[in-house]
């Protein structure tokens, strides 16, 4: 299978001297659910924010190595960053609807890209909300404030908001951290739907969640990639002792 | 013997508790009193001027030109002049201040330009207003040859108002949650689109408050307009921005100290109009701020 994202020997040090990533190399394939797991501060979010260059918002860091998306170096000169971010959608750990209506949240990305055709937008709104398993709950109140939704609804709205841009890759950075079990399972279910069309990269809330959803998985520890394998082998027969210790709950 | 001792100890500790409570009460009274004292001068000033000046206020006082060596008639040219100058100050100050605030809050890195801008703002805020007046005289009236004019006065007042407006606007911009910026850019918005659509709309109430407070200060200043625009006695209205005009603060200074035989009531009346003008600007700022704060949904 072809490499969607290829991380080659990437190291990353924040302005304050924290070494967040140390010589990480891995490959993410198209149309898989790639799970990136490990204890807090192991460098997962730092790595994900390099894929769509949200890392640009944290100046002063030292970055080495190469990240290719479809064979194109994302840090090369002349790369259109806004276009890159439209191709790689991102959902954050805390649900972050923007102030305004549900519809306003959904159309924000397309509007910024200059898409204003109402018919096209309405079609995308329905499809995105359906894929994020939220359509039935909000279809009659699209113009209500997004802030009145429940936590789980907000997070699914954020997923739908990313899908509005029809990205190729969807990054979910611990998307169920603040959600109750029912909302969590709804978000998880929507992932299988998404996998058909998108490459999904996810930081799971727990090892169990990772094992439930992953096609392939990578275990990170202290900024290093410890192990990368299919979900089957990773969660049942890890090769590295540290992975096994983490999965079985001996630390972390 | 033993009992007496323990009783003594108990009385002592009781006494100490009482003393602590008394001290606490005294402290509460003193602190509340001091806080109340702060309100007293402003109430006294307003009341005093109101009682002495209200008699002079009439439609004619506000709309007529001064007559008979300013001892009769109204203050219309001065009132209009102050409104014009406040407007001009806004035109000079608002774009500059908001631009600088956006730069400082959104773009400024830790570089030499940023340090110079911040140093300039701190120093601008510390310059006495008479120095602004002299600077305006040298720079705008003489060097740029605008003459003693509304343009020169507005530019001088505008520069003087910059630091207040920049600082409040910068604070308002920084108060917008960082997530909005991250989310917006993650959705493919450019930095400017993010500022335009996610930052400024939420910062606007704070920015407006800063602008109005800055303008209300400019409306009441005397020293900066002394050499740059204010006319001692000019009942005819200005025909262009290169004309002089009368202005309330300077007019008040003139009638209070320079004109013999000036009826007291007119002096108080003029002071009252100036005071009400400045206070109503402050009031508008407060109303806008409270309203916008109640309406926001984050």
């Amino acid at each position: 299978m072809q490499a969607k994202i290829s991380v080659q020997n990437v190291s990353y040090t924040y302005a304050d001297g924290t070494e967040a990533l140390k010589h990480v190399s891995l490959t993410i394939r198209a149309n898989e659910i790639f799970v990136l797991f490990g204890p807090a501060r192991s460098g997962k979010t730092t790595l994900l924010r390099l894929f769509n260059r949200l890392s640009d918002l944290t100046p002063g860091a030292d970055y080495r190595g190469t990240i290719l998306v479809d064979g194109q170096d994302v840090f090369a000169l002349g790369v259109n960053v806004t276009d890159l971010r439209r191709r790689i959608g991102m959902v954050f750990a805390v649900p972050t609807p923007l102030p305004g209506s549900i519809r306003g949240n959904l159309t924000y990305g397309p509007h910024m890209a200059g898409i204003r055709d109402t018919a096209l937008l309405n079609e995308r709104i329905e499809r995105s909300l359906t894929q994020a398993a939220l359509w039935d709950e909000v279809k009659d109140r699209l113009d209500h404030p997004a802030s009145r939704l429940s936590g789980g609804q907000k997070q699914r709205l954020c997923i739908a908001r990313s899908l509005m841009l029809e990205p190729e890759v969807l990054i979910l950075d611990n998307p169920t951290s603040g959600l109750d079990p029912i909302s969590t399972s709804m978000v998880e279910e929507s992932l299988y739907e998404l996998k058909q069309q998108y490459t999904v990269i996810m930081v799971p809330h727990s090892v169990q969640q990772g094992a439930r959803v992953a096609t392939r998985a990578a275990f990170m520890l202290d900024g290093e990639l410890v192990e990368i394998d299919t979900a089957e082998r990773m969660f049942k027969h890890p090769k590295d002792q540290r992975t096994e210790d983490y999965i079985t709950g001996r630390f972390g | 013997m033993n009992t007496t001792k323990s009783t003594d100890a108990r009385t002592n500790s009781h006494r100490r508790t009482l003393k602590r409570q008394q001290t606490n009460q005294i402290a509460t009274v003193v602190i509340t009193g001091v806080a109340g004292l702060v309100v007293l001068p402003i109430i006294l000033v307003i009341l005093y001027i109101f009682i002495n000046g209200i008699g002079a206020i009439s439609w004619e006082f506000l709309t007529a030109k001064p007559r008979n060596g300013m001892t009769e008639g109204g203050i219309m040219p001065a009132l209009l002049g102050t409104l014009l100058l406040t407007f001009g100050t806004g035109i000079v100050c608002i774009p500059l201040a908001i631009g600088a605030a956006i730069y400082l809050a959104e773009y400024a890195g830790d570089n030499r330009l940023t340090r110079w801008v911040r140093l300039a703002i701190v120093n601008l805020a510390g310059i006495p207003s008479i120095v602004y007046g002299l600077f305006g005289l040298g720079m705008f009236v003489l060097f740029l040859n605008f003459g003693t004019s509304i343009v020169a006065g507005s530019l001088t007042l505008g520069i003087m108002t910059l630091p207040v407006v920049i600082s409040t606007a910068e604070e308002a911009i920084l108060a917008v949650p960082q997530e909005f910026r991250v989310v917006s850019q993650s959705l493919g918005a450019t930095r400017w689109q993010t500022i335009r659509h996610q930052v400024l709309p939420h910062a606007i109430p704070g920015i407006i408050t800063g602008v109005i407070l800055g303008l209300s200060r400019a409306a009441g200043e005397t020293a900066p307009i002394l050499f740059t625009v204010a006319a001692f006695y000019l009942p005819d209205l200005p025909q262009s921005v290169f004309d002089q005009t009368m202005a309330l603060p300077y007019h008040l200074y003139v009638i209070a100290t320079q004109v013999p035989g000036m009826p007291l009531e007119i002096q108080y009346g003029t002071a009252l109009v100036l005071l009400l003008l400045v206070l109503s600007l402050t009031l508008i700022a407060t109303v806008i701020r409270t309203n916008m704060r109640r309406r926001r949904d984050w």
Side-chain angles (χ1 to χ4, degrees):
Chain A
M1 234 194 260
Q2 107 200 63
K4 187 71 191 170
I5 296 178
S6 172
V7 178
Q8 295 167 2
N9 200 20
V10 166
S11 298
Y12 191 88
T13 307
Y14 282 103
D16 65 359
T18 319
E19 277 187 273
L21 296 172
K22 300 168 198 162
H23 306 287
V24 173
S25 294
L26 56 83
T27 302
I28 296 167
R29 298 169 187 161
N31 294 80
E32 67 177 356
I33 299 184
F34 186 87
V35 160
L36 192 61
F37 71 106
R41 319 210 118 260
S42 57
K44 303 167 305 237
T45 301
T46 304
L47 180 61
L48 295 180
R49 285 181 171 229
L50 287 168
F51 293 170
N52 64 356
R53 282 186 56 180
L54 265 193
S55 54
D56 290 5
L57 303 187
T58 353
D62 179 52
Y63 161 82
R64 278 149 214 260
T66 314
I67 292 175
L68 306 176
V69 174
D70 289 331
Q72 165 77 49
D73 184 349
V74 298
F75 281 92
L77 240 76
V79 164
N80 184 338
V81 182
T82 52
D83 187 57
L84 177 74
R85 291 181 185 149
R86 286 183 194 117
R87 286 164 56 206
I88 303 182
M90 191 170 224
V91 175
F92 303 88
V94 183
T96 45
L98 295 168
S101 67
I102 296 173
R103 189 194 301 279
N105 266 275
L106 292 166
T107 54
Y108 183 71
H111 277 175
M112 295 301 110
I115 303 172
R116 301 219 160 248
D117 180 348
T118 321
L120 176 71
L121 286 174
N122 284 340
E123 189 189 305
R124 280 203 200 176
I125 287 175
E126 178 165 356
R127 195 178 55 232
S128 304
L129 285 174
T130 310
Q131 284 178 330
L134 188 61
W135 174 248
D136 289 333
E137 291 163 60
V138 300
K139 63 182 174 200
D140 299 321
R141 46 178 177 137
L142 289 176
D143 293 304
H144 287 214
S147 56
R148 290 214 208 118
L149 297 173
S150 74
Q153 287 172 327
K154 278 181 189 161
Q155 193 59 299
R156 279 176 280 147
L157 174 65
C158 290
I159 294 176
R161 186 173 63 189
S162 296
L163 298 179
M164 285 295 286
L165 290 162
E166 305 193 318
E168 299 154 25
V169 180
L170 185 62
I171 296 173
L172 303 155
D173 187 357
N174 196 353
T176 63
S177 68
L179 304 189
D180 61 88
I182 295 171
S183 303
T184 300
S185 69
M186 288 183 110
V187 170
E188 281 181 27
E189 265 165 48
S190 62
L191 292 183
Y192 297 106
E193 172 86 13
L194 299 176
K195 187 188 156 217
Q196 313 302 321
Q197 202 180 336
Y198 310 97
T199 302
V200 178
I201 305 169
M202 178 174 170
V203 171
H205 182 53
S206 62
V207 174
Q208 290 78 3
Q209 185 181 47
R212 278 199 299 274
V213 301
T215 317
R216 290 195 316 135
F219 176 60
M220 287 189 70
L221 186 64
D222 293 334
E224 286 176 57
L225 179 75
V226 176
E227 189 168 351
I228 175 166
D229 213 330
T230 62
E232 183 77 14
R233 272 177 293 193
M234 177 70 104
F235 292 105
K236 288 193 180 132
H237 313 287
K239 288 194 278 291
D240 196 290
Q241 187 59 40
R242 289 170 293 175
T243 318
E244 188 175 344
D245 288 350
Y246 185 73
I247 290 173
T248 51
R250 246 165 266 169
F251 80 98
Chain B
M1 188 71 188
N2 256 341
T3 9
T4 339
K5 215 177 195 174
S6 84
T7 318
D8 270 5
R10 214 179 306 145
T11 345
N12 269 338
S13 119
H14 184 61
R15 214 175 283 145
R16 274 202 300 274
T17 311
L18 263 184
K19 191 155 183 265
R20 265 202 300 275
Q21 278 168 354
Q22 271 172 359
T23 317
N24 183 40
Q25 277 162 1
I26 292 169
T28 310
V29 169
V30 169
I31 289 168
T32 314
V34 169
L37 275 181
V38 175
V39 188
L40 201 61
I42 180 83
I43 292 177
L44 282 181
V45 167
I46 294 175
L47 267 184
Y48 185 72
I49 292 179
F50 190 82
I51 291 167
N52 286 296
I54 190 70
I57 307 280
S58 67
W59 185 244
E60 200 216 338
F61 186 67
L62 294 176
T63 56
K65 294 174 181 180
R67 284 190 311 269
N68 200 6
M70 296 188 266
T71 54
E72 285 171 38
I75 54 164
M76 188 268 279
L79 180 57
L80 189 81
T82 285
L83 292 177
L84 278 175
L85 281 175
T86 309
F87 186 73
T89 306
I91 290 177
V92 173
C93 154
I94 292 171
L96 279 176
I98 293 184
I102 293 177
Y103 170 78
L104 287 174
E106 296 291 330
Y107 289 89
D110 186 19
N111 57 36
R112 191 166 295 173
L113 176 62
T114 308
R115 280 195 292 275
W116 276 105
V117 172
R118 291 205 185 278
L119 189 69
I121 294 168
V122 170
N123 281 299
L124 276 179
I127 294 175
S129 56
I130 184 66
V131 178
Y132 279 105
L134 290 168
F135 166 76
L137 172 69
M139 183 73 191
F140 303 123
V141 176
L142 299 175
F143 181 70
L144 293 178
N145 209 14
F146 292 147
T148 315
S149 64
I150 294 178
V151 177
S154 298
L155 285 165
T156 311
L157 286 170
I159 291 175
M160 185 201 75
T161 315
L162 278 177
V164 183
V165 184
I166 292 175
S167 332
T168 38
E170 188 191 354
E171 267 169 49
I173 292 171
L174 288 175
V176 176
Q178 182 62 23
E179 302 106 83
F180 295 180
R181 298 177 178 87
V182 177
V183 167
S184 172
Q185 298 200 40
S186 81
L187 291 169
T190 62
R191 199 179 200 177
W192 172 246
Q193 283 178 321
T194 299
I195 293 171
R196 164 81 186 69
H197 295 280
Q198 293 305 330
V199 177
L200 287 186
H202 306 301
I204 278 291
I207 294 176
I208 293 177
T209 310
V211 166
I212 296 180
L213 289 178
L215 290 186
S216 75
R217 190 189 153 201
E221 276 289 349
T222 313
I225 58 172
L226 197 56
F227 316 119
T228 55
V229 53
F232 185 89
Y233 178 67
L234 186 74
D236 295 326
L237 299 183
Q239 300 301 307
S240 88
V241 289
F242 292 103
D243 285 351
Q244 278 187 285
T245 178
M246 294 180 80
L248 273 182
Y250 183 61
H251 180 62
L252 181 59
Y253 164 75
V254 165
I255 60 175
T257 61
Q258 311 288 307
V259 183
M262 193 72 204
L264 266 181
E265 198 171 49
I266 291 191
Q267 299 180 29
Y268 279 115
T270 308
L272 180 59
V273 171
L274 180 59
L275 194 64
L276 288 180
L277 187 77
V278 173
L279 284 182
S280 58
L281 282 177
T282 315
L283 189 70
I284 292 171
T286 315
V287 168
I288 290 176
R289 187 166 41 186
T290 358
N291 249 331
M292 298 286 209
R293 231 178 237 168
R294 215 177 312 132
R295 278 209 337 233
R296 79 180 177 196
D297 60 349
W298 39 273

